[in-house]
Amino acid sequence: MSHDAPSLAELQARFQAAIVGGSDDILALIPPNSRTSNAVLLGVYRFAYISRLVEVVRNAYPMLARHMGDEAFVQMAERYIVRYPSRYANARWYATDVPELLGDADYANAPVLREIALLERQLDQAFDAVDAPVLDLGALTQHPPETWGDLVFTAHPSAALLTLATNAFDIWVALKNELPPPEIAVHDAQEIFLVWRWDGVPNVRRVSDEERMLWSEAARGKPFDGLMEMAATYGAPSEAALRVAQYLNGWLSTGLLSEAMLRPRDAAKASGPRDANRTASP
């Protein structure tokens, strides 16, 4: 090797710049063969790299790909690759910004695309969320019923609310079940969904306005009696406690909560140790 030959590290850096950034500096170091030029040889690697990233994007958004069709999806994915060069050692995280790309003016006439992508991304994030205990109804029996008004709950780390303005969810469900999707529609009022992981599997379901409000407040630390007060503003006050209990039972039975603890009635105790009042399923 001559004195001016690059080191292995320099060669790797220049090759990466050629594949990822489009630099042609590496061409002088690629000898042509009897069948083709060095530019064609480099092009093979560039094409393979882009094709691989397109498949990474497709694997992250399979129902979006099915909805868009192959040609339109590949065009979108190639645009994404140009806009968002890979900065990840793990390819799983590469396609995370696809909903942001689909929020651009180029896709303003198709808001359903962004919302399908948002749903698929949230499902992936639920799958990847950290592990945590799952609280069940049996774990609450250690608290006397008269103290339940002071119970404060912790949401499972995988749980998140998702707001959609189109029928992206119905389209996603149809595509997932290999059924003809409904016609695209924009709703008069936004729909709210809960996305979470239960028993290792991502889940999603619609929630009512009341449940959305109660879930949001519960996740922020509103105690059970405060949830009942808020429910009284949504329907018959005499049935507020029953409705909150029904929601709580649903959250417990589907793995949406991780922990329950008693809020000290004396505000002066609020800054003290609370672990003794904590309840969590193993």
Side-chain angles (χ1 to χ4, degrees):
M1 182 178 291
S2 69
H3 179 72
D4 294 329
S7 67
L8 177 60
E10 291 170 337
L11 186 62
Q12 289 173 332
R14 290 168 70 174
F15 191 74
Q16 179 173 320
I19 300 301
V20 178
S23 171
D24 289 332
D25 291 348
I26 196 72
L27 283 175
L29 300 174
I30 302 176
N33 61 35
S34 59
R35 290 175 294 179
T36 189
S37 68
N38 55 2
V40 171
L41 293 172
L42 179 60
V44 170
Y45 282 97
R46 284 173 172 166
F47 176 80
Y49 174 75
I50 292 173
S51 297
R52 173 63 182 130
L53 287 185
V54 168
E55 288 310 303
V56 169
V57 177
R58 189 191 304 275
N59 290 337
Y61 300 93
M63 297 306 110
L64 176 65
R66 189 174 295 178
H67 176 72
M68 294 182 71
D70 189 65
E71 182 177 355
F73 184 83
V74 169
Q75 289 176 353
M76 182 278 294
E78 290 178 345
R79 183 177 298 180
Y80 180 81
I81 292 165
V82 173
R83 183 83 58 84
Y84 297 91
S86 178
R87 298 289 185 266
Y88 298 92
N90 187 338
R92 178 165 177 77
W93 314 124
Y94 172 63
T96 189
D97 293 313
V98 164
E100 281 64 44
L101 177 73
L102 294 173
D104 285 356
D106 293 333
Y107 297 96
N109 293 327
V112 71
L113 299 181
R114 174 178 173 272
E115 295 199 341
I116 294 174
L118 283 171
L119 175 57
E120 295 202 277
R121 181 173 69 182
Q122 195 62 56
L123 287 164
D124 270 354
Q125 290 176 347
F127 181 81
D128 291 327
V130 298
D131 289 331
V134 175
L135 187 69
D136 59 27
L137 186 59
L140 297 186
T141 58
Q142 64 181 274
H143 296 291
E146 62 269 18
T147 68
W148 276 37
D150 289 317
L151 282 177
V152 175
F153 303 98
T154 299
H156 192 274
S158 68
L161 289 172
L162 180 66
T163 302
L164 301 178
T166 72
N167 63 337
F169 173 74
D170 296 320
I171 292 172
W172 177 83
V173 169
L175 293 169
K176 188 172 178 63
N177 290 296
E178 299 185 346
L179 297 172
E183 293 293 323
I184 296 171
V186 178
H187 299 306
D188 294 333
Q190 293 179 328
E191 290 189 318
I192 312 297
F193 298 83
L194 256 175
V195 183
W196 79 105
R197 185 183 70 238
W198 180 30
D199 200 20
V201 179
N203 288 264
V204 56
R205 67 171 175 84
R206 283 185 177 90
V207 297
S208 65
D209 286 342
E210 182 179 60
E211 184 177 7
R212 185 269 311 161
M213 179 270 295
L214 293 173
W215 171 261
S216 297
E217 292 301 319
R220 283 196 284 262
K222 180 77 71 174
F224 190 79
D225 57 4
L227 298 178
M228 289 189 292
E229 292 174 4
M230 299 189 74
T233 68
Y234 263 76
S238 60
E239 299 175 356
L242 175 61
R243 295 200 308 277
V244 174
Q246 289 172 336
Y247 288 131
L248 177 60
N249 183 62
W251 301 341
L252 290 168
S253 64
T254 55
L256 276 160
L257 298 174
S258 287
E259 190 177 58
M261 57 192 302
L262 287 175
R263 174 195 60 174
R265 285 189 176 276
D266 185 348
K269 299 178 183 178
S271 60
R274 303 173 72 180
D275 289 345
N277 293 324
R278 195 179 299 269
T279 301
S281 297

